[in-house]
Amino acid sequence: MPLTDHGSVRRHQFHERLGVLHGNHLHRTLKERFPAAFNTRWTRRHWLHASLFATVGALLATIVPGFSSQLQPALPLHATLPLSLPPQTVRPPLASQPGQPWDVLQVQPGQTLGGLFQSMGVPAETMHRILEQPGNRETLTRLRPGAELAFARGEDGALLGFRFDRSPTQRVELSLAGGKVREKVLERATTTRVAVAGAEIDHSLYAAGRKAGLSPAAIAVMTDEIFSYDIDFKDVQPGDRFSAVVEETWRDGERIGSGRILAATFTTGGKTYTGFRFERDGKAQFFTQDGRPLKKSFIRMPIPYARLSSKFGARRHPVLGSMRMHKGVDYAAASGTPIMAAGDARVQFVGQQRGYGNVVILDHGRGHTTLYAHMSRFGKIKRGQQVAQGSVIGYVGSTGMATGPHLHYEFRVNGAHRNPLSVTMPPPEPLKGAELAAFRAQAAPALARIESMEKLMFATAAAAPQDKPRDKRG
């Protein structure tokens, strides 16, 4: 065989190898599984075709982008790559910078300033340094539940800043860095809105008022100023109801308190009483819907929580033992109990009068005077001074001819004594003319608000009678 015939030599060697495998299992498998081209003798045409296919495949893999990548296993769509980041910048504690983080505490009932500072790990010495700042002690020693205190501390726990509200419009920020206390006062804008609050009483007026959103001070105005002359609040029953138009103070979108009562109604015993705030002669008073003052000219009992111990009229004198005319009434009370002026008046006399001991006489005008005797001491009054109804003019005692501490109270009309318990009191002066017109213009919108709210509130209450106490604010 010529050595130059490389094709013949290769075919000869191939057939020799096939012959060796002809009788074994591998040869049979190849014959079954591979095409006939691999089981027969390859001709020149077979080799040309194989070379052509190999060349075309190589060209495709080189020219067509992504063709070869499709032959590789798929890689994940997401990968985490380690990146080299710049070193973290170390900042000083934020408590020493504007915008520092604050730990805010809300005062709970029974908590004290000292307890709050102790809970934050702030020593008492630091607290006293804060209290020594002008204007801080009065606010911080009279904290009410709900007030907020804020503390800013450094990494070592030392107090760097302290914040509190001195008033609804002032926030105080103290900086304690560097061993000195520096104060910054921030003015906080507030707005005033008018709202209507109302409720039906279930257990107590106070509880219903608080549930309706009234402050304790606003409830006291209703009971002690507006309706005190017409309603005995000890007799208020479940089912009685009230409504009030109040001013509310808002700050940063938050309601922070209620202010003045502009109008109020109270329904008890099937009768509705009304009161509207109006300033007359520069002084705020409450009037009925037709412009008559709710405040009576005189209060019947110028001493609270006292017991009537002797009536007006003839009696045997407890000291002299003889029958004498008792020209006033006596109220037994503990020594030192405050005595109030029965009405607006001018102080006519302050001093001693024989058996009356320490005496105060008030002139109320239009011929009406009142006398208060047996006082232990006088209030801060002097002759000629104007005093308002309810002002403290003295204190219960037993000076003069008295067997024990009590108040002797007389009521005189043009010098003649009258029984303080039954005398017809002079009515207060109603609004007239331009004042009455201005009052009506002011009262009408407030009354409309109350009527609108009550229609809504009690219509809802009628539909759901099980919901008590019922309250609504609008």
Side-chain angles (χ1 to χ4, degrees):
M1 182 183 299
L3 295 176
T4 56
D5 191 356
H6 297 292
S8 299
V9 172
R10 290 176 180 172
R11 287 194 298 272
H12 179 72
Q13 291 175 349
F14 179 76
H15 285 290
E16 285 182 346
R17 293 173 183 173
L18 287 179
V20 173
L21 299 174
H22 181 74
N24 59 27
H25 176 73
L26 177 60
H27 182 259
R28 291 194 300 270
T29 303
L30 289 172
K31 290 183 66 176
E32 293 173 356
R33 298 190 178 183
F34 285 88
F38 290 94
N39 296 321
T40 61
R41 180 180 296 180
W42 276 32
T43 64
R44 183 180 296 275
R45 187 180 62 181
H46 291 152
W47 288 108
L48 289 174
H49 287 172
S51 299
L52 180 61
F53 290 144
T55 303
V56 172
L59 290 173
L60 288 173
T62 304
I63 297 173
V64 181
F67 180 81
S68 60
S69 65
Q70 298 299 320
L71 303 178
Q72 303 298 326
L75 296 176
L77 295 178
H78 302 281
T80 301
L81 301 178
L83 299 178
S84 177
L85 298 177
Q88 183 177 358
T89 302
V90 179
R91 295 184 179 181
L94 289 176
S96 63
Q97 301 178 358
Q100 55 192 307
W102 297 92
D103 292 326
V104 181
L105 297 183
Q106 191 173 67
V107 179
Q108 303 298 321
Q111 286 186 318
T112 63
L113 183 66
L116 291 167
F117 271 77
Q118 184 178 4
S119 68
M120 296 299 295
V122 180
E125 180 184 355
T126 303
M127 180 186 71
H128 290 302
R129 286 174 56 202
I130 293 174
L131 291 176
E132 289 172 358
Q133 295 297 116
N136 289 355
R137 182 176 296 275
E138 182 177 358
T139 302
L140 293 175
T141 56
R142 297 180 180 180
L143 294 174
R144 293 183 177 182
E148 290 186 349
L149 303 179
F151 299 78
R153 296 176 295 175
E155 292 182 353
D156 59 353
L159 185 66
L160 299 179
F162 179 66
R163 187 180 73 197
F164 66 96
D165 290 337
R166 183 173 287 166
S167 70
T169 60
Q170 284 190 340
R171 169 164 286 180
V172 178
E173 287 189 6
L174 302 177
S175 172
L176 286 81
K180 296 182 179 180
V181 180
R182 298 179 178 85
E183 178 180 292
K184 180 171 65 174
V185 179
L186 306 176
E187 294 294 334
R188 308 184 70 189
T190 61
T191 58
T192 301
R193 305 179 187 177
V194 177
V196 183
E200 183 175 296
I201 298 171
D202 187 2
H203 301 295
S204 73
L205 169 61
Y206 182 84
R210 295 295 287 149
K211 187 175 178 64
L214 295 181
S215 66
I219 297 172
V221 169
M222 279 204 308
T223 58
D224 299 343
E225 293 186 36
I226 303 178
F227 301 118
S228 61
Y229 299 94
D230 298 308
I231 300 174
D232 185 349
F233 286 96
K234 296 190 298 293
D235 296 333
V236 170
Q237 301 293 324
D240 293 346
R241 64 179 187 259
F242 66 88
S243 300
V245 178
V246 297
E247 292 180 337
E248 295 182 337
T249 303
W250 288 72
R251 184 184 62 211
D252 300 332
E254 177 185 3
R255 177 180 176 270
I256 60 174
S258 60
R260 301 179 304 178
I261 292 184
L262 304 181
T265 65
F266 203 104
T267 300
T268 180
K271 184 177 180 180
T272 298
Y273 301 88
T274 60
F276 299 88
R277 188 180 188 276
F278 184 73
E279 290 191 7
R280 178 165 68 172
D281 299 329
K283 184 178 180 180
Q285 300 180 45
F286 286 92
F287 297 83
T288 63
Q289 189 174 348
D290 57 0
R292 294 186 176 276
L294 286 171
K295 176 183 175 181
K296 304 301 188 251
S297 298
F298 295 90
I299 53 178
R300 296 268 182 195
M301 190 173 177
I303 179 171
Y305 313 114
R307 174 178 59 87
L308 181 65
S309 58
S310 183
K311 297 181 180 180
F312 181 88
R315 65 160 190 177
R316 187 177 298 277
H317 195 278
V319 176
L320 301 177
S322 58
M323 292 297 297
R324 297 182 63 175
M325 181 66 181
H326 190 221
K327 299 179 180 180
V329 294
D330 292 345
Y331 292 104
S335 183
T337 301
I339 299 170
M340 300 178 297
D344 296 340
R346 179 182 60 84
V347 179
Q348 182 178 343
F349 178 84
V350 180
Q352 292 186 340
Q353 285 189 358
R354 297 177 300 212
Y356 279 166
N358 292 331
V359 172
V360 170
I361 300 176
L362 301 181
D363 182 0
H364 303 276
R366 293 186 291 176
H368 295 81
T369 59
T370 53
L371 178 145
Y372 312 79
H374 304 306
M375 293 182 176
S376 60
R377 59 190 176 96
F378 302 112
K380 296 180 180 180
I381 59 173
K382 59 184 179 180
R383 184 175 179 180
Q385 177 183 341
Q386 293 290 331
V387 294
Q389 184 182 82
S391 300
V392 175
I393 58 174
Y395 300 87
V396 170
S398 53
T399 56
M401 288 193 297
T403 56
H406 71 282
L407 167 67
H408 174 78
Y409 174 58
E410 295 181 2
F411 191 94
R412 303 172 182 175
V413 180
N414 296 322
H417 292 82
R418 297 286 187 268
N419 184 353
L421 301 180
S422 60
V423 65
T424 300
M425 298 293 185
E429 288 292 327
L431 295 172
K432 299 177 181 178
E435 280 188 329
L436 180 59
F439 166 77
R440 287 175 173 170
Q442 181 176 309
L447 182 60
R449 282 176 174 264
I450 290 177
E451 291 176 345
S452 177
M453 191 275 293
E454 287 190 343
K455 287 180 181 178
L456 176 62
M457 181 175 69
F458 294 112
T460 304
Q466 72 277 9
D467 295 334
K468 285 190 176 184
R470 297 183 284 273
D471 65 89
K472 192 174 184 66
R473 298 174 61 248

